[in-house]
Amino acid sequence: MNQAIDNIEIIRERRAMGMNTSKFIVWLFIVTIVMLFAALTSAYIVKQSDGNWLNYNLPGMFWITSTIIVVSSITMQLALKSAKEDRFNGLKVYLILTTILGLAFLFGQYQSWKQLVEMDVYFVGNPAGSFLYVLTGLHAVHIISGLVFLLIVIGSSFKLKIHSKSLIRIEMCTTYWHFLGGLWLYLFLFLKLNH
């Protein structure tokens, strides 16, 4: 009886917040990431004005990784649509495609770093290179966290725990994945305009 009363209280608290607690945590995490990258890009601009800034071209691979991340956002949205329509095979296929594209993005970022080394842009030396490695490296770490989230959602989809009446996990994962795609596009544009 006490357990039932406690469960009712939890439901009332969630309704009072107006948002699922798990979704709120994901949004809070996103806000934290936004603040981190806002601080880093602001520091980039301040440090750039010091004058000893290395001029270099951005790796051509950034264009490819940008395309990959946009396509992965599309496949993630299609996975969500499939879940809403209880198309379980489509859900699984699109989640797996999104995961493969996420891995391809990481491989592309690794190739970008190899291109930077070929251009004599290193992590240590000039702040321009350091900032580039930090910005892209931190984004890659967040992509890895997104891939872990995707693997959890894939596991749930194979257990048929994701469907039109149970969308919380895939909605949170989709939100986070779209955010990561948008963050990369912001970073790429920022670096294009400020390197």
Side-chain angles (χ1 to χ4, degrees):
M1 184 67 174
N2 286 339
Q3 182 65 31
I5 292 171
D6 289 342
N7 288 342
I8 291 170
E9 286 301 315
I10 291 170
I11 292 168
R12 283 184 187 156
E13 287 176 20
R14 285 183 179 168
R15 286 184 184 155
M17 283 180 56
M19 179 184 284
N20 178 285
T21 308
S22 299
K23 285 185 178 181
F24 178 75
I25 291 169
V26 168
W27 279 105
L28 193 59
F29 187 56
I30 288 172
V31 168
T32 304
I33 296 168
V34 166
M35 291 171 60
L36 171 67
F37 280 95
L40 286 170
T41 52
S42 296
Y44 183 103
I45 291 169
V46 169
K47 190 66 179 166
Q48 187 179 27
S49 65
D50 282 354
N52 64 336
W53 203 253
L54 176 67
N55 290 319
Y56 58 90
N57 292 321
L58 291 177
M61 186 58 84
F62 279 4
W63 288 100
I64 295 168
T65 55
S66 297
T67 303
I68 290 170
I69 204 77
V70 168
V71 172
S72 77
S73 227
I74 292 167
T75 58
M76 190 69 217
Q77 191 62 38
L78 291 171
L80 177 60
K81 185 177 187 296
S82 295
K84 287 179 178 179
E85 296 171 356
D86 288 329
R87 290 187 294 112
F88 301 112
N89 288 336
L91 168 64
K92 293 170 195 169
V93 167
Y94 288 125
L95 286 173
I96 291 169
L97 279 173
T98 304
T99 304
I100 291 168
L101 289 166
L103 291 169
F105 177 87
L106 287 176
F107 180 74
Q109 291 303 86
Y110 172 73
Q111 294 300 316
S112 297
W113 290 345
K114 284 175 65 175
Q115 288 178 356
L116 287 168
V117 169
E118 290 168 6
M119 293 186 285
D120 295 325
V121 178
Y122 302 102
F123 179 73
V124 178
N126 192 285
S130 300
F131 270 106
L132 183 61
Y133 283 101
V134 168
L135 289 169
T136 58
L138 275 174
H139 184 266
V141 166
H142 289 96
I143 287 287
I144 292 168
S145 71
L147 288 169
V148 170
F149 200 174
L150 268 168
L151 291 174
I152 292 167
V153 172
I154 288 170
S156 295
S157 72
F158 274 89
K159 294 175 186 172
L160 300 177
K161 291 184 177 180
I162 296 178
H163 48 80
S164 60
K165 303 223 182 330
S166 179
L167 295 169
I168 297 293
R169 281 186 189 160
I170 193 164
E171 286 174 343
M172 291 187 312
C173 190
T174 302
T175 298
Y176 186 56
W177 197 258
H178 288 333
F179 165 72
L180 292 175
L183 177 61
W184 172 253
L185 295 176
Y186 160 74
L187 289 174
F188 182 44
L189 183 63
F190 174 83
L191 291 168
K192 263 319 244 184
L193 295 174
N194 293 293
H195 78 281

